Amino acid sequence: RVEVATTGPDAPVPPGIPRLPGPGEYYVSPALGELLRSTPATQLADRLPGHQVGTIGREALPSPDSLLIVIGRTPADLEPLGASKVTQIMTTSPDGCPRGCYVGINRDGMALVLSIVAAALLFPVLIFIGTATRLAATRREQRFAAIRLVGATPRQISVISAVESVLAAAVGTAVGFGLFLAVRPALATIPFTGDRFFAADLSLTLTDVLAVALGIPLGAVVASWLALRRVQISP
């Protein structure tokens, strides 16, 4: 519950609302708005002063479940409560504020924590991939050795191997992106920080997509070339 009073035409406006509410007005988050509609007025709405004039946008909310209300008052109402006058609202991102003007863990600290967790989760997967690659390489060596014996050149073997690896990796990457999009809504409901996320918060940047879409096929080609280097020398 945030109570504000306008002191002039240049009063700063918090994110998520188009203007400061006047006396007798308030903005609510979508979750609180739904609660107001589904709860008898005598149990909730009658305890709030004034009437609702709008909904707080998601840019001001950490979670879809946030119960937030911004209530408009007069300066005289807030003075006895020890209210402070605010002349500006900081919009600097925590990771762009090196002097400690943020509260909590900044982006670098969170990235470090998540990187360690990701490494712990990916290590068994990498072992599985390495084992599967070695098993598959044995069969491919036999097949490519037979192709070499009937006259294929090392360059032709490299091209065939690269095409096979790229196609398999591309299909796997596409399936992975599909699984990510399918699982993301359910993943957003897990309250890692105490509240569920907006699904849009669990999104990939263009750099992330390109790194995965190009990096995995390239890695598959390199792994294939290393696994078949003996066949390229001699069948």
Side-chain angles (χ1 to χ4, degrees):
R1 175 168 173 158
V2 181
E3 301 192 27
V4 297
T6 303
T7 57
D10 297 328
V13 179
I17 58 177
R19 63 175 179 84
L20 288 175
E25 299 176 341
Y26 58 78
Y27 290 90
V28 296
S29 61
L32 182 54
E34 180 63 29
L35 197 60
L36 286 170
R37 289 188 292 271
S38 60
T39 304
T42 55
Q43 296 180 21
L44 182 60
D46 290 349
R47 296 159 54 187
L48 303 176
H51 60 280
Q52 181 180 343
V53 293
T55 302
I56 301 173
R58 61 151 299 189
E59 61 269 21
L61 305 174
S63 167
D65 298 327
S66 298
L67 300 178
L68 177 64
I69 182 171
V70 180
I71 301 174
R73 296 283 196 177
T74 64
D77 292 334
L78 296 185
E79 284 180 3
L81 303 178
S84 301
K85 184 176 181 180
V86 176
T87 58
Q88 61 179 352
I89 296 176
M90 185 181 69
T91 58
T92 304
S93 176
D95 57 277
C97 192
R99 296 185 179 181
C101 57
Y102 50 81
V103 176
I105 303 175
N106 66 355
R107 184 176 66 177
D108 294 336
M110 186 61 68
L112 176 62
V113 173
L114 294 179
S115 297
I116 295 174
V117 174
L121 294 175
L122 289 176
F123 185 71
V125 177
L126 293 176
I127 294 177
F128 171 76
I129 292 174
T131 303
T133 300
R134 285 194 299 271
L135 293 175
T138 301
R139 291 188 175 184
R140 297 180 74 194
E141 273 191 340
Q142 296 174 352
R143 182 159 51 89
F144 286 143
I147 297 175
R148 284 292 311 278
L149 288 173
V150 297
T153 65
R155 181 180 180 84
Q156 291 173 327
I157 293 296
S158 297
V159 171
I160 295 173
S161 174
V163 171
E164 284 186 349
S165 300
V166 168
L167 289 178
V171 172
T173 302
V175 172
F177 278 122
L179 289 175
F180 165 73
L181 294 175
V183 171
R184 183 174 63 168
L187 187 63
T189 62
I190 300 177
F192 289 109
T193 60
D195 294 296
R196 63 189 179 109
F197 296 91
F198 287 102
D201 292 337
L202 304 178
S203 60
L204 299 174
T205 64
L206 179 60
T207 302
D208 297 331
V209 173
L210 292 177
V212 173
L214 299 179
I216 290 181
L218 179 61
V221 170
V222 173
S224 175
W225 181 81
L226 292 175
L228 298 176
R229 59 186 182 278
R230 293 191 305 173
V231 177
Q232 293 173 346
I233 297 173
S234 171

